[in-house]
Amino acid sequence: HVQLVESGGGSVQAGGSQRLSCVSSRRISDCNCLGWFRQRPGKEREGVAAIYTCGSFTYYSDSVKGRFTISQDNDNNAVYLQMNALKPDDTAMYYCVAKDGVGCLPFVPQATGAFDYWGQGTQVTVS
């Protein structure tokens, strides 16, 4: 079982930036796929970004591409989500996720079932 602990949520003004962190109980340097999902008020959970830690291959949903960046930190066993140019529509609970198996593909933002492990979530509010 993989435990994921998120941090870094909070309130931010539109146009601002926020960085979310996720520490995994599984070694980041091992080849695995981690990512971030979010649930906006009144909407379904959706994937926003994923990273395959062997080679740092990254994937993004269209809604965040160019604004969000996912990265890995092997020394701290963490992945990060740097969020820039935030909009009120980015207000959501953000969840760190991980999956067993090889690779992240296909990365389908609607496929919540593709990931095996979920953190508790961290709230981001953009006003």
Side-chain angles (χ1 to χ4, degrees):
H1 184 75
V2 178
Q3 291 184 316
L4 304 165
V5 179
E6 306 98 332
S7 61
S11 297
V12 61
Q13 290 192 333
S17 298
Q18 194 92 343
R19 190 179 82 157
L20 305 182
S21 301
C22 170
V23 177
S24 172
S25 63
R26 184 164 62 188
R27 274 192 320 193
I28 296 294
S29 56
D30 291 345
C31 297
N32 56 104
C33 178
L34 295 98
W36 291 91
F37 272 65
R38 69 182 180 185
Q39 187 160 21
R40 295 180 282 182
K43 298 190 178 180
E44 300 292 320
R45 286 187 186 184
E46 59 174 345
V48 296
I51 185 167
Y52 183 57
T53 59
C54 280
S56 294
F57 294 99
T58 58
Y59 310 91
Y60 298 95
S61 69
D62 289 342
S63 62
V64 306
K65 198 173 294 182
R67 299 189 298 123
F68 290 12
T69 302
I70 189 170
S71 60
Q72 66 187 85
D73 180 348
N74 291 354
D75 291 339
N76 292 300
N77 228 39
V79 292
Y80 305 113
L81 186 68
Q82 177 67 42
M83 306 184 292
N84 298 330
L86 283 162
K87 307 173 184 178
D89 196 43
D90 294 314
T91 294
M93 184 71 77
Y94 284 77
Y95 298 90
C96 182
V97 296
K99 64 190 297 188
D100 291 327
V102 178
C104 290
L105 293 176
F107 176 61
V108 180
Q110 295 76 25
T112 56
F115 286 85
D116 304 291
Y117 309 103
W118 291 70
Q120 292 299 307
T122 186
Q123 177 70 34
V124 174
T125 301
V126 185
S127 59

